[in-house]
Amino acid sequence: MATENLSQEEVPENLKKQLALAVRSIEWCYAIFWTISSEQPGVLKWGDGYYNGDIKTRKTVQAEELNADQLGLQRSEQLSELYASLSAGETNPQAKRPTAALSPEDLTDTEWYYLVCMSFEFNVGQGLPGRTLAKNQTIWLCNAHQADTKVFIRSLLAKSASIQTVVCFPHLGGVVELGATELVLKDKKLIQNMKTSFLEVPYPNVSKIPDQINKNVRNDNGLVHHQVSVPETSLNELVEYPEVNICSPNNGSNDFGAKQPNEELNIVEDIDGEACQMQSWQFMDDEISNCVNNSANSSDCISQTCDNPEDTIAVSNGKKVTDNEMHEAQEFNQKKLNSSDSRGGDLHYQSVLSTLLKSSQQLILGPYFSNSNKVSSFISWRKDILSSSQILQTSTSQRLLKKVLTEVARMHENCQLESGKRDGKRDGLSKPAIDDIDRNHVLSERKRREKLNERYLILGSLVPSGGKVDKISVLDRSIERLRELEKRIEELESNSDVGMLESRTRIKPCDAIERTSDNYGTKKNGNSKKPLTNKRKACAMEEPRTDNGCSLLRDSSTDNITVSVVDKDVLIEISCPWRESVLLEIMEATSKLHLDSQSIRSSNTDGILSLTIKAQFKGSKTASTGLITQAIQKVIRRY
Amino acid sequence: MENSTQESNLRSEICVTYDSPYPIYAMAVSNAAAASASTHIRRIAVGSFIEEFNNRVDILSFDHDALSLKPTPSLSFDHPYPPTKLMFHPTPATSAANILASSGDYLRLWDLRDSSIEPISVFNNSKTSEFCAPLTSFDWNEVEPRRIGTSSIDTTCTIWDIEKGVVETQLIAHDKEVYDIAWGEAGVFASVSADGSVRIFDLRDKEHSTIIYESPQPDTPLLRLAWNKQDLRYMATILMDSNKIVILDIRSPTMPVAELERHQASVNAIAWAPQSSRHICSAGDDGQALLWELPTVAGPNGIDPISMYAAGAEINQLQWSEVQSDWISIAFANKLQLLKV
C-alpha cells in the first residue's frame, strides 16, 4: 500500500486538527508540521501548525465565547496571518491590518517563537526537522533553550520563548515537531501517544512484527534485516533514538526498513520486557494511510492510546528510569553533531529575524548575546537580590559624576588668572539660571576681555618671542624692547661709535628676554607675598592691573639690568629696588668677575636705585654679558 | 549568590582588575591593537580623579589571553586637573598612530606611541576671549573622524575640525550647562543639559534644534547621554539623582519608549551594546552593573535586567567598546575592572 502521495504543498486538511489534538492531549505548547517544499525539493518548510501556548492578548471579532478548541485554532490562524503580513514587508503594517488582527506587541515570547518558526526552512539533514527526516528517527531534545545552535538552530529563539523541550518525528513525508515550555524528559510513551493520536489507530497491525522485533531485541549485532549500514555510533551522539517504524517518505515501502542504528539496541536491551512497547511504535504505512483518510474518531484514538501506556508502565517503569537517565546523560553530552549546515542555519535565522523584525515598529527581540555557553562575570538578575553589598550612601548620590561635571570646571576657573569674572563659581546644579541683566553684563564683560586679548596678541607678535606666550611675558618683553630701542636711539643720536653700537646691538634680544623672563619667572613663584610697590618708571601700560598680577608687574618695571661689553670695557646699568648694602654687594660681585670699576654713578629715587658702572676687565679673563648679568641678578634678588 | 562575596568568589578568568594608586574616572579603550604585541593586547587609557592640579593618565595593557591588566609606566602622562573624558581615535589609520583625546580645560590630543606619549595639540575654545569654558564631555565622530564635538558649561557645544585645528562651528546649545554630547551621524549630534532637555542638532541646519525629551520635573538636569550606534533611533539618558534610565526613540519625541528602573540608587553611566541594538548596560551608586535587553513588549511591571554584576563600591564609569564587545569595563573607587559579558 502506498503511502498517500502527498503533493508536497498540500497538507491534509485535518492535519491541523490532528496536530491540535496531539498537542493538547499532552498539553504541550505547539505542534508544527514541516513539509517538503514544492519549489525546492529537499527542503523542509512550514506546512501547518497549531499553537497551544500562552496567549497574551486575545483579539477576536466575535463576541461569543469559543471553546478551547476553537480558540486555539483561531489563535494559530491569527498568528499565521500576522506572519504573512509581516513578511510581506509592509512598512506600515498597522494601517493595513484589521483591528482584530494581531500585532507584534500582542504576542508572548512563545507566540513569537512560533511565528518566527514559520520562516524557517531546513534542508534535509539540517536542523532538527531536517535530521529527523534524513534519519527517519525521532529526535527528542531536552533543554532546547540551552542547546548549541549547531544542534538546534533555533536554540536562542527557544531561549527567549522558554521552550525547553522539542521533539521531532517523521510523519507523512514530513516532520512533526512538538514543543513544550517545560522540561519534559524523554518519554517514549509520549511519542507513542502522539503517533497514535495522529494516526488514530490504537494498535497497528503489528502482528507480523513482534517476532521480528523480539528476535532483534536480543540481537546484539545489528539487525540483519533491518539493515542498514549505520555505523556504530557512540553513545555520545545520542539524541535521537530510533524510529522503529518507518514512515519512510520516499519509498512508501512497507517494511520496517528503518535505519536502526545500534543505539536502539542499547535501549532495547534495557527494556527487556518492553516488547509490547516497541510494538506500539511500529506503524506501517498502510496504517498511516488509513489514518490520513480517517477523519473522525480522534477522541477514540486518544482513549485508546491511554490504554497503551498503562500496559507498558508496569513492565517498564523500573527500566525506564535508568533508560531516561542514560538518555539524559547522552543528551547533555551532545557534542556538535555533524551538521555542516548549522552555520548556514545561524545565518538564516539571523537574516530572517532581521528582515522580519525590521518591519515591526516596536522594540523587538534582537540578536542574541554571544554568551550562551561561556562563562560570564554577570549572573542572572533576580528581583530579590537586594543590594546586599550595602553601599551605604553616606555621600551624595552620583557624587563623582557631579564632581566631574562641576568641580572640575570650578578648578579650571579658579586657575584662570583673569578671574575677575563671575565669582559665580557655578555650582551649576543648584544655581538658578542667570537672568537677562546678568547675562548682558557678562556678555559685555566678555567683549571687553576679548578686546584686551586681541591687543595682547598683537603686541606679542611685535616683540620676538622667547618661548612664553602668556600675557605677562608679552608685556615684559615689550617693556624691555622699548627700553632697548630707546637706548639705541639715544646712542645713535649722541654717539657715532660704530663699535659701541655694534656691540650693543649684538646683545641678542633673546638674551635680554631670557634675563627678564627668568627674573620674573622665579620671582613670580617666590614672590607672591611681596608687598606691592607700584612705583614704576615710565611704562606704557594699557590698563593698570589691580588684581593678583600686580606683584609680578612690580618686578618687571623695577628690576633692570643692562650690560654691554666692548673689548675690555664693560658698561653696566642697573635699576633695582634699593635696600641697604645692595650697592656694596653689587660692587663685590663685579670685582669677583675680574672687573675693575672705573666709574660709578648711582641715584636713588623713589626707593629705586639706578646704578651705572663703567668697568674694565683686569687680566685676560673676560666674562660674558650673561654671566655678569646673572651675578648681579643674584645679588639683587638676595634679600 | 551573595553579592558581598561575589567579588571574592569571582574567578580570575571572568574578571580582570587593575588597582590604581588614585581614584579614577575617565576611561577609554583603544581601537587599535598594540602595534608591537600580538593582537590580543588592547590598550586602555585611565584618567585619575584627584581634586588638584596634578592628575595623570595611565595607559594599561589588557592581554586577552593572559587576562592581565598592567600599566605601562613609559606611557603615562600628566594632565592638568582631572580629565573629564578620554577617548581614542575611532578609526586609527595604522596601528602605530594611536591618538587619544582628553577633555578638561581644553580639548587635547595626544599621540600614543610604543614607548612614549607626545602631546599633539591643544584646542583652545576661544582664542579671542580670555578664558575657555571647561569641557564637561566630548564625542569623536566615528563616521567623520576629523570631527570632535565638545560640550561645555558655558551652554555651548563646539565642533572642531581636528585635522585643520579649527573650530568648525560653535552653537549655543542649551539654556544651561551642557553635560554630554553624542554623535549620531556624520553631521547630527545630540546633547543633554542642566536644563533637563535632550536636543538634537543637525549641522546642515544650525538654526534649529529638536527637543526630543524633557525631564518630567522641570529643570532636572540630565547628566549623560548615549546614542545607540546599532540602531540610531534609540538613545538613553540618565537624570540627576535618579535611578531611572530613560530610553528614547527619536521618532517619537517627548515620550520615552521605556524607563528602566531597577537600580537601587542613582545611575552613573550607561552604554549601549556595540554588537546588538537591543542591549544596554548601566552602572550606578548601588555598585551594580545591570545588563538589560529591551524586549518587544514590556511586562506590566516594567523591564527587568537580564543579568547583573555587583562591585564593591559605587560604579562611576562604564565603557563597552566595539573592539572588545565581550568585555565591559567599569571603574569604581580606585579600581578598573573588566567584566566578561
Side-chain angles (χ1 to χ4, degrees), chain A residues 105 363-364 369 375-377 379 385 387 393 397-398 400 402-403 412-413 418 428-429 449-450 453, chain B residues 3 14 51 105 128-130 153 177 179 241 264 266-267 278-279 285 296-297 307-308 316 340-341:
Chain A
E105 65 271 22
L363 287 179
I364 47 186
F369 247 54
V375 168
S376 165
S377 313
I379 59 171
I385 296 182
S387 180
Q393 301 232 324
S397 80
Q398 297 169 330
L400 193 60
K402 285 180 191 167
K403 274 194 189 174
H412 287 298
E413 288 178 9
E418 301 81 351
L429 293 170
R449 287 195 299 265
E450 283 173 22
N453 288 334
Chain B
N3 290 343
I14 54 174
E51 293 179 53
D105 49 351
T128 51
S129 87
E130 45 96 55
I153 62 163
E177 300 90 342
Y179 286 144
D241 294 331
Q264 281 146 4
S266 312
V267 185
R278 300 295 154 218
H279 293 90
D285 274 350
T296 321
V297 281
S307 50
M308 60 170 282
N316 294 310
K340 192 116 172 58
V341 172

Side-chain angles (χ1 to χ4, degrees), chain A residues 88-102:
Chain A
E90 293 161 8
T91 52
N92 195 5
Q94 302 285 359
K96 294 198 181 172
R97 252 183 262 140
T99 47
L102 292 176

Side-chain angles (χ1 to χ4, degrees), chain B residues 79-317:
Chain B
H79 192 278
Y81 294 114
T84 52
K85 184 162 176 180
L86 289 171
M87 208 168 163
F88 278 94
H89 195 298
T91 47
T94 66
S95 55
N98 207 350
I99 303 181
L100 174 67
S102 75
S103 67
D105 49 351
Y106 304 115
L107 178 67
R108 293 164 199 268
L109 292 184
W110 310 83
D111 186 9
L112 200 75
R113 301 200 197 124
D114 283 339
S115 53
S116 65
I117 296 195
E118 307 296 328
I120 304 176
S121 39
V122 177
F123 293 106
N124 186 339
N125 202 356
S126 11
K127 288 180 185 162
T128 51
S129 87
E130 45 96 55
F131 90 107
C132 164
L135 307 175
T136 51
S137 179
F138 70 96
D139 194 18
W140 209 322
N141 194 324
E142 286 172 19
V143 182
E144 276 270 21
R146 61 188 171 86
R147 270 197 188 136
I148 292 187
T150 64
S151 61
S152 165
I153 62 163
D154 68 353
T155 79
T156 64
C157 287
T158 309
I159 312 299
W160 291 91
D161 180 334
I162 55 174
E163 280 171 23
K164 291 183 200 158
V166 293
V167 174
E168 217 180 288
T169 183
Q170 188 171 9
L171 306 168
I172 295 182
H174 288 266
D175 304 324
K176 291 192 182 176
E177 300 90 342
V178 189
Y179 286 144
D180 204 359
I181 180 174
W183 287 101
E185 302 161 26
V188 177
F189 69 90
S191 59
V192 286
S193 156
D195 66 5
S197 65
V198 181
R199 293 184 199 209
I200 295 189
F201 297 84
D202 190 331
L203 292 177
R204 295 162 296 197
D205 180 15
K206 298 173 198 169
E207 301 297 312
H208 304 105
S209 63
T210 321
I211 299 184
I212 60 164
Y213 176 73
E214 275 178 307
S215 50
Q217 264 86 43
D219 279 358
T220 310
L222 299 175
L223 298 183
R224 283 284 175 241
L225 178 70
W227 204 325
N228 189 337
K229 298 280 183 339
Q230 297 297 312
D231 189 340
L232 291 173
R233 294 175 293 183
Y234 299 106
M235 285 197 219
T237 182
I238 58 177
L239 297 94
M240 185 169 84
D241 294 331
S242 163
N243 69 337
K244 263 195 311 198
I245 302 147
V246 180
I247 311 287
L248 305 168
D249 182 336
I250 61 176
R251 299 161 305 172
S252 45
T254 72
M255 276 300 301
V257 164
E259 290 186 353
L260 310 178
E261 229 177 329
R262 291 287 182 266
H263 272 285
Q264 281 146 4
S266 312
V267 185
N268 283 327
I270 41 178
W272 288 95
Q275 79 275 30
S276 151
S277 61
R278 300 295 154 218
H279 293 90
I280 185 172
C281 186
S282 62
D285 274 350
D286 53 358
Q288 288 181 352
L290 301 179
L291 265 176
W292 311 77
E293 179 172 349
L294 301 172
T296 321
V297 281
N301 298 326
I303 301 172
D304 285 336
I306 51 176
S307 50
M308 60 170 282
Y309 171 79
E314 296 102 341
I315 303 181
N316 294 310
Q317 174 73 262

